[in-house]
Amino acid sequence: MRRIFFLWCVAMPALCALAQQSPAAGPYRVLRTEKVGGDGGFDYVYADAQGRRLYVARSGPTKRISVFDLDTLQPAGEIPDVGAHGVVVDPRYSHGIASSKPVVMFDSKTLKVVKTIDVQGNPDGLLFDPFNHRVYVLSHAAPNATVIDAKDGSVLGTIDLGGAPEEAASDGKGRIYIDIEDKNNVAVVDATAMKVIAHYDLGDNKTPAGLAFDAKGQILFVGCRNPAVSVIMNAPDGKIVATLPIGTGVDGAAFIPQTMEAFSSQGDGTLTVIKEDGPAAFAVEQNVKTMTSAKTMTVDTKTNHVWLIGAEFGPLPQPAAPGDRPRRGPLVPGSFTILEVGR
């Protein structure tokens, strides 16, 4: 693949970013691929770095949360009869929250259910904010965000985000950033007041579905599907600094501060790595080949390894009609896979 160099300038020449699209060769590779199998659909994956567990919510008739040892990938238990999109864990209180309906709170050490929490909307993505130990349960239907106290599971309020949220990130100091898929913007939330204080427009870039945040540099990496790009913007004011190409079908993102790299995972089977070399210098460092359908990711902050989940799918029983939303065929039995990516 050729290397493509371009300069993206916004507002003033000083805010120019050197952008570089790189081939597959680079420092990252798939370290481990484990075909763990099991029936049911899947959405998000979550690494509890302190508890050394990996959580995968599985949907369908045998709905459950499957739990694996983060070091060995051996099964570590499961939480049965919970149909959720994802899980987060507050290590201080050893409480896990699952984005099910009702929301399920469980003990992350014993995996026993502590309580169920009635919420409105349709719980989907979620975020644990260490700033005040709250969990934001996101929903495309109103209310767009339900705020839960991770200590006792009490509902503290809801937030109207003005649209359908996808992924969220915290600055750890009282600000939450949430990409709004159907409005093509990023909502900025005051975590104390629990209200939106700004919306950052993404211009011609649409369907944001991944969000990574560099807390030290105050930089947002917003993964968009149409076109397939990462929009890089200043968190304090929402000014776009650069736009870089990524794979198609993004649905997850994260930032590793130790290496100054942002990652986005795509359904086309790629993991795009963007290197940050300064406040206005960004480059596509690598596109790692992973697995088709592995569109969500999580980072083990102890090892800085990236974890993804995917599966193989058969053909559609009937061809999709013109104008239908993209669909996929039935999951191939036993094909559900966990992938570990690192240097």
Side-chain angles (χ1 to χ4, degrees):
M1 182 183 296
R2 294 182 306 164
R3 292 190 176 185
I4 302 171
F5 296 86
F6 64 92
L7 197 63
W8 178 277
C9 300
V10 177
M12 296 176 62
L15 293 179
C16 292
L18 181 64
Q20 170 187 339
Q21 184 173 355
S22 301
Y28 288 92
R29 61 187 178 89
V30 177
L31 302 175
R32 180 165 34 168
T33 301
E34 292 287 343
K35 189 173 286 189
V36 299
D39 296 330
F42 55 93
D43 198 353
Y44 298 110
V45 56
Y46 180 79
D48 174 8
Q50 184 169 318
R52 308 310 298 157
R53 283 177 167 176
L54 189 74
Y55 293 87
V56 181
R58 304 296 300 270
S59 58
T62 55
K63 59 186 180 182
R64 66 208 182 276
I65 297 170
S66 297
V67 187
F68 300 87
D69 184 292
L70 192 51
D71 297 304
T72 67
L73 277 192
Q74 291 300 306
E78 70 174 27
I79 307 170
D81 300 320
V82 177
H85 284 262
V87 168
V88 292
V89 172
D90 181 348
R92 173 186 287 182
Y93 300 114
S94 298
H95 282 160
I97 298 287
S99 59
S100 51
K101 190 170 183 180
V103 166
V104 169
M105 172 183 277
F106 61 90
D107 186 312
S108 62
K109 293 181 179 179
T110 66
L111 303 182
K112 300 297 184 183
V113 173
V114 175
K115 65 188 297 185
T116 58
I117 307 163
D118 290 327
V119 297
Q120 296 175 303
N122 298 309
D124 189 350
L126 69 175
L127 168 76
F128 165 65
D129 183 10
F131 169 70
N132 50 14
H133 294 268
R134 294 176 178 178
V135 173
Y136 294 75
V137 179
L138 306 179
S139 167
H140 282 200
N144 304 128
T146 300
V147 186
I148 295 175
D149 189 326
K151 180 180 181 180
D152 58 14
S154 58
V155 175
L156 301 175
T158 60
I159 304 172
D160 179 2
L161 298 173
E166 273 293 301
E167 192 167 15
S170 166
D171 71 353
K173 298 179 180 179
R175 290 287 183 271
I176 304 291
Y177 300 94
I178 306 172
D179 53 6
I180 308 301
E181 183 184 47
D182 59 338
K183 302 299 182 184
N184 307 316
N185 65 46
V186 175
V188 184
V189 174
D190 183 315
T192 301
M194 291 190 296
K195 67 177 183 180
V196 175
I197 57 175
H199 282 99
Y200 295 160
D201 187 73
L202 293 168
D204 294 330
N205 306 293
K206 304 184 185 302
T207 322
L211 184 66
F213 180 58
D214 167 15
K216 182 178 179 180
Q218 291 290 291
I219 296 292
L220 293 164
F221 299 82
V222 188
C224 296
R225 295 176 180 168
N226 183 26
V229 295
S230 177
V231 179
I232 303 169
M233 58 172 53
N234 291 324
D237 55 19
K239 290 183 178 179
I240 296 175
V241 177
T243 303
L244 295 176
I246 61 175
T248 59
V250 62
D251 206 25
F255 185 82
I256 297 180
Q258 291 85 351
T259 61
M260 297 297 289
E261 292 166 324
F263 298 78
S264 63
S265 51
Q266 290 85 220
D268 66 354
T270 58
L271 177 73
T272 301
V273 187
I274 294 176
K275 179 68 174 181
E276 179 182 346
D277 290 316
F282 306 87
V284 175
E285 180 180 31
Q286 189 179 0
N287 284 292
V288 184
K289 180 60 180 175
T290 56
M291 178 182 185
T292 302
S293 82
K295 62 188 180 71
T296 58
M297 60 165 287
T298 185
V299 172
D300 175 4
T301 56
K302 179 181 178 181
T303 63
N304 287 336
H305 289 179
V306 175
W307 295 86
L308 307 101
I309 52 176
E312 300 169 23
F313 293 87
L316 287 168
Q318 295 180 341
D324 281 359
R325 294 186 63 181
R327 295 182 295 148
R328 58 191 182 191
L331 189 148
V332 175
S335 70
F336 180 75
T337 302
I338 298 174
L339 300 94
E340 180 183 12
V341 173
R343 290 175 176 264

